[in-house]
Amino acid sequence: MAVTVAVGLLPAAGCTSGAAGGPGGSPPATQRQTSGTRPPAAAAVRVAGTVAERLPVPWGTAFLPDGSALVAERGTGGVVRLAAGGGRSPAGRVPGVAAEGEGGLLGLAVPPHAGARPWVYAYLTTAADNRIVRMRWDGRRLGPPRTVLAGIPRGTFHDGGRIAFGPDGYLYAGTGETGRRPLAQDRASLGGKILRITADGRPAPGNPFPGSPVYSLGHRNVQGLAWDSRGRLWATEFGQDTWDELNLVRPGGNYGWPVVEGRAHRAGFTDPVVQWRPAEASPSGLAYWHGALWVAALRGRRLWRVPLHGDGTAGTPQAELTGLYGRLRTVAAAPDGSLWVATGNTDGRGEPAPQDDRVLRLTAP
């Protein structure tokens, strides 16, 4: 089942560059979820505590084999280590980061089943491009970066940046079209795509276009990547004025941008499984946890829970934490069984509280 979500009677203000990167107004919702006389759904999560406070624009989060996590600071290029049992320490600074607009130090990833000194992968914006590098973790600090993949288009907006290792052991990267819309449909460009590469940056075996790292195309600005319990890849994507998307990603799939936005039912394009009005979402990080996909919403200032069915369809999304912590940027399933959520209020588009930005630890009630 495809799901359209448009909650309540929100103003018809479209997403701006402060949310999904595009100006304009949003047309009236075509379908609304209303509570009627039913009681509100019970909360599916509880905030068990705060892992860290006062982080400057936290973005990527990656867990190390010891259960601690590395968190990227978008604007400074710094990486902080958050210990599993509490405490934080500097883990290094990635050189060459050129933070402008939505660019900077973005996604982090650690290969599965890594040893005590794993490679740590980072997606960053430089003065010339977006690129993926890797750095050796020595137990305390990150080593110097080595470029894995360069030449991803960069821009003031729509830089993508989420990276994650899939269950097949290959590295996936979500990129943006940098505001140059034709790049999303250009198979020769790395912009507006989901890429799939080996650990050293080569196109992964079995990619749909031989010799190319491109795994899927027609994306505007991919912000979240996650795999469910059956190994299926899901991705969140900023729309422009009308629909944000949660997509079930197939190799070689074309997700329509800029020809279509949201569900179009047009031959040659793959429709999203869930679509939201930008005011209710602007979906960023994505994680699979407790049988559902969890979507961090920036402009929507909430955490969406999207239950999944075995046939690849989704149940009705449920909003959690609405308005309680402001903009939510990153969500990650932790090794201890909890869910970590990073806020995004200090990026110049939010209204930061004194504790912001924070990483929260959530558990299932």
Side-chain angles (χ1 to χ4, degrees), residues 133-285:
V133 302
R134 65 180 181 180
M135 303 158 284
R136 183 67 77 180
W137 173 252
D138 68 4
R140 296 181 62 251
R141 305 280 295 184
L142 293 168
R146 305 180 187 180
T147 298
V148 171
L149 180 67
I152 302 169
R154 60 151 287 167
T156 303
F157 304 108
H158 308 181
D159 286 289
R162 198 68 64 178
I163 57 175
F165 279 91
D168 57 8
Y170 296 116
L171 182 65
Y172 292 72
T175 74
E177 36 79 302
T178 71
R180 291 174 282 170
R181 298 181 177 190
L183 296 184
Q185 291 293 326
D186 181 358
R187 275 178 31 192
S189 172
L190 302 182
K193 309 293 190 298
I194 292 176
L195 310 177
R196 178 175 177 261
I197 60 175
T198 65
D200 57 4
R202 293 172 296 176
N207 277 2
F209 310 114
S212 171
V214 172
Y215 189 73
S216 62
L217 67 155
H219 299 287
R220 184 172 183 263
N221 193 14
V222 177
Q223 292 287 292
L225 300 170
W227 288 262
D228 64 23
S229 60
R230 298 180 64 177
R232 298 173 297 193
L233 173 60
W234 298 80
T236 52
E237 182 170 344
F238 285 163
Q240 176 153 323
D241 300 324
T242 311
W243 295 115
D244 293 330
E245 299 180 0
L246 173 67
N247 286 300
L248 177 58
V249 181
R250 308 289 191 188
N254 188 330
Y255 290 81
W257 182 256
V259 182
V260 298
E261 178 183 356
R263 199 170 298 126
H265 309 294
R266 285 185 56 172
F269 300 129
T270 302
D271 285 339
V273 175
V274 178
Q275 59 183 23
W276 292 270
R277 296 299 187 185
E280 297 147 6
S282 297
S284 186

Side-chain angles (χ1 to χ4, degrees), residues 2-232:
V3 179
T4 295
V5 180
V7 181
L9 295 175
L10 293 171
C15 61
T16 68
S17 61
S26 176
T30 57
Q31 183 176 338
R32 299 187 187 277
Q33 297 290 122
T34 56
S35 60
T37 58
R38 292 174 298 172
V45 291
R46 60 180 291 268
V47 178
T50 300
V51 181
E53 296 180 341
R54 298 179 177 87
L55 296 170
V57 195
W59 217 97
T61 300
F63 288 93
L64 293 165
D66 66 0
S68 65
L70 298 177
V71 176
E73 298 172 351
R74 189 183 77 185
T76 70
V79 180
V80 62
R81 181 190 182 197
L82 304 180
R88 61 197 276 184
S89 58
R93 189 175 300 275
V94 182
V97 172
E100 177 186 4
E102 294 174 352
L105 182 59
L106 301 173
L108 298 177
V110 174
H113 314 300
R117 297 173 181 261
W119 289 109
V120 176
Y121 289 73
Y123 185 114
L124 65 142
T125 309
T126 74
D129 61 3
N130 285 299
R131 63 181 56 187
I132 299 171
V133 302
R134 65 180 181 180
M135 303 158 284
R136 183 67 77 180
W137 173 252
D138 68 4
R140 296 181 62 251
R141 305 280 295 184
L142 293 168
R146 305 180 187 180
T147 298
V148 171
L149 180 67
I152 302 169
R154 60 151 287 167
T156 303
F157 304 108
H158 308 181
D159 286 289
R162 198 68 64 178
I163 57 175
F165 279 91
D168 57 8
Y170 296 116
L171 182 65
Y172 292 72
T175 74
E177 36 79 302
T178 71
R180 291 174 282 170
R181 298 181 177 190
L183 296 184
Q185 291 293 326
D186 181 358
R187 275 178 31 192
S189 172
L190 302 182
K193 309 293 190 298
I194 292 176
L195 310 177
R196 178 175 177 261
I197 60 175
T198 65
D200 57 4
R202 293 172 296 176
N207 277 2
F209 310 114
S212 171
V214 172
Y215 189 73
S216 62
L217 67 155
H219 299 287
R220 184 172 183 263
N221 193 14
V222 177
Q223 292 287 292
L225 300 170
W227 288 262
D228 64 23
S229 60
R230 298 180 64 177
R232 298 173 297 193

